[in-house]
Amino acid sequence: MDLKTTPVEKSRISEVDFESLDFGRIFSDHMFEMVWDKGSWGEPQIKPYGPISFAPALNVLHYGQAVFEGMKAYYVNKETINLFRPEDHHKRLNQSCWRMCMPETDYEIFIAGLEKLLQLDTEWVPRKKGRALYVRPLMFASEEYIAARESGRYHFYIMTCPVAAYYNEGFNPVTLTTPDKFVRAVKGGTGEVKTAGNYAASFRPAREAREKGFTQVLWLDAIENRYVEEVGTMNIFFLIGDTLVTPQLSGSVLNGITRRSVIEIAKKENLAVESRRITIDEVLEAGKKGQLREVFGSGTAAVISPVRLIHHAGQKIDIGDGNIGPLAKKMFDTITGIQYGELDDPFNWTRPVKITNKSKISQTE
Ligand SMILES: Cc1ncc(COP(=O)(O)O)c(C=O)c1O
């Protein structure tokens, strides 16, 4: 597909210090844009990344009709950049659109936009292992009209930003606490999709958890306040005895793509893996009995995030020796090995993008 393209006159890349990348603050030269108006999508295009102008009546600012995705592209070698499970991310984006009453997009256009961005901004894909190009598709209601109903116009963007290695100085296990009075999502609500308001609503509980000295919130279900759901931007796994347990997708948990990858690896390795309801009491009980061998989160940003402590209602459980456990490490090594093209990809998760503009690759490896 030949996309209308307006390249930048001058790249900003020489201003970027790849040794100190701040997540989500530095954006590559180009972005993808497509506008939905009067019932259909307009012509997709690639243009320089930069400000867009809207009036304060912009619908999304008032009613929050916005969805997004978070995925990554990985440098393999001078000829190849790997996208990780782009079809799954696109499918989830469409599910989010459906829930939020927004127009869906075609995978062909989405992937053509992504590939074109990677061809144009190859130079922005960090070369060092651990670093990656974060890809952020975003759609929002762009009618300038303040009425609490679905918008008649939507803007869809894909922007990318080079990001640092999540673990620069070894794994940094996190601590989690369950919230006293807040809930994240309820079945039938919007918790299972990636819509902006879910995150806005999580900031107050996240701040309170930090003020109490914990890294993140461990969410419980909103009805009985007992079943573990997920963490801020991660799904959660418990290795209890020899069984890997993760909360089932209850309708209020995000269907994480890294979660799915962990489950698929566990199955391939013949490890007992259960996606089921699990109460916080069961987790604490397993901890007290010495059966809780490992706890880790899974998500695009960190891939695998070891947990060293869980706090709930005045009780604290230490997990393992405070370092990453062998299973979490194996999951991390397997997934990142596949992402960077170092390991075979028996699952067909990666989509290699062949770089045709080779002269552009000049960053040192
Ligand atoms: C609420 C929430 N849960 C879980 C995840 C992990 O999902 P994924 O593995 O697809 O990044 C994310 C990140 O997107 C998230 O925002």
Side-chain angles (χ1 to χ4, degrees):
M1 180 181 296
D2 218 7
L3 289 177
K4 181 179 164 197
T5 302
T6 313
V8 289
E9 280 174 13
K10 188 176 179 303
S11 173
R12 288 176 282 104
I13 198 157
S14 60
E15 297 159 23
V16 179
D17 177 4
F18 277 82
E19 295 308 311
S20 64
L21 292 167
D22 194 3
F23 189 98
R25 280 195 197 278
I26 297 163
F27 294 88
S28 317
D29 283 329
H30 298 91
M31 64 185 183
F32 171 95
E33 183 190 69
M34 189 163 72
V35 180
W36 168 276
D37 202 11
K38 300 187 179 66
S40 64
W41 285 113
E43 188 186 359
Q45 60 167 316
I46 304 278
K47 60 202 265 191
Y49 175 83
I52 45 178
S53 169
F54 291 106
L58 187 72
N59 203 275
V60 65
L61 300 180
H62 303 259
Y63 307 106
Q65 204 187 2
V67 299
F68 65 96
E69 264 305 316
M71 56 190 279
K72 281 181 177 169
Y74 302 85
Y75 178 82
V76 176
N77 56 39
K78 283 183 169 31
E79 275 119 42
T80 318
I81 291 166
N82 270 350
L83 283 165
F84 188 66
R85 308 193 74 163
E87 215 168 330
D88 293 299
H89 281 280
H90 179 260
K91 197 166 166 207
R92 192 171 65 184
L93 181 70
N94 273 348
Q95 285 164 348
S96 299
C97 288
W98 181 85
R99 177 62 182 83
M100 301 307 288
C101 215
M102 299 167 78
E104 295 179 12
T105 55
D106 281 343
Y107 183 63
E108 289 66 35
I109 295 176
F110 176 81
I111 203 74
L114 260 175
E115 292 194 344
K116 184 77 189 176
L117 285 175
L118 292 177
Q119 296 288 351
L120 282 168
D121 290 337
T122 304
E123 189 74 354
W124 291 80
V125 185
R127 302 292 180 259
K128 280 197 185 151
K129 173 98 195 264
R131 298 178 187 172
L133 190 75
Y134 184 77
V135 177
R136 168 54 60 89
L138 165 76
M139 193 191 299
F140 58 88
S142 54
E143 201 171 349
E144 288 167 352
Y145 179 49
I146 43 171
R149 60 142 180 79
E150 66 194 85
S151 171
R153 189 169 69 146
Y154 298 91
H155 274 61
F156 178 49
Y157 289 93
I158 306 176
M159 62 201 102
T160 68
C161 39
V163 294
Y166 204 87
Y167 300 112
N168 261 332
E169 291 141 16
F171 291 95
N172 192 10
V174 298
T175 60
L176 306 178
T177 183
T178 56
D180 310 328
K181 53 181 181 291
F182 299 112
V183 296
R184 176 184 174 272
V186 66
K187 188 175 175 195
T190 59
E192 65 178 351
V193 298
K194 277 184 87 73
T195 184
N198 288 347
Y199 298 84
S202 73
F203 296 160
R204 165 65 53 188
R207 183 199 283 190
E208 293 194 4
R210 279 198 308 278
E211 283 170 354
K212 288 182 194 149
F214 302 100
T215 327
Q216 288 201 48
V217 173
L218 177 62
W219 294 108
L220 300 181
D221 77 282
I223 295 171
E224 295 180 59
N225 243 279
R226 317 169 42 213
Y227 295 100
V228 177
E229 300 234 302
E230 60 182 309
V231 184
T233 54
M234 297 190 296
N235 295 103
I236 186 108
F237 286 86
F238 304 97
L239 181 62
I240 301 176
D242 290 325
T243 305
L244 188 60
V245 182
T246 191
Q248 72 185 42
L249 300 174
S250 55
S252 50
V253 173
L254 191 82
N255 186 351
I257 285 152
T258 323
R259 173 188 184 277
R260 212 177 300 166
S261 307
V262 169
I263 294 174
E264 286 170 44
I265 293 170
K267 285 189 176 157
K268 188 160 182 292
E269 299 284 321
N270 289 323
L271 180 73
V273 54
E274 295 176 356
S275 171
R276 64 165 168 87
R277 298 184 95 189
I278 176 165
T279 62
I280 186 69
D281 293 329
E282 181 182 342
V283 172
L284 295 176
E285 225 16 68
K288 283 179 203 150
K289 288 188 189 147
Q291 294 166 346
L292 186 60
R293 293 166 57 200
E294 293 187 37
V295 180
F296 57 88
S298 68
T300 296
V303 182
I304 297 294
S305 184
V307 176
R308 69 174 167 81
L309 181 143
I310 292 177
H311 170 260
H312 170 70
Q315 302 177 68
K316 275 187 189 168
I317 293 288
D318 289 306
I319 299 131
D321 61 4
N323 289 313
I324 187 164
L327 181 62
K329 178 80 168 59
K330 183 183 169 52
M331 289 295 173
F332 180 83
D333 289 343
T334 308
I335 296 173
T336 56
I338 291 173
Q339 288 169 334
Y340 288 95
E342 296 167 349
L343 297 179
D344 286 345
D345 178 9
F347 307 97
N348 243 323
W349 286 337
T350 50
R351 179 178 173 117
V353 178
K354 288 289 161 209
I355 299 305
T356 47
N357 189 359
K358 290 182 192 134
S359 61
K360 291 202 78 184
I361 301 183
S362 64
Q363 265 183 65
T364 47
E365 286 179 32

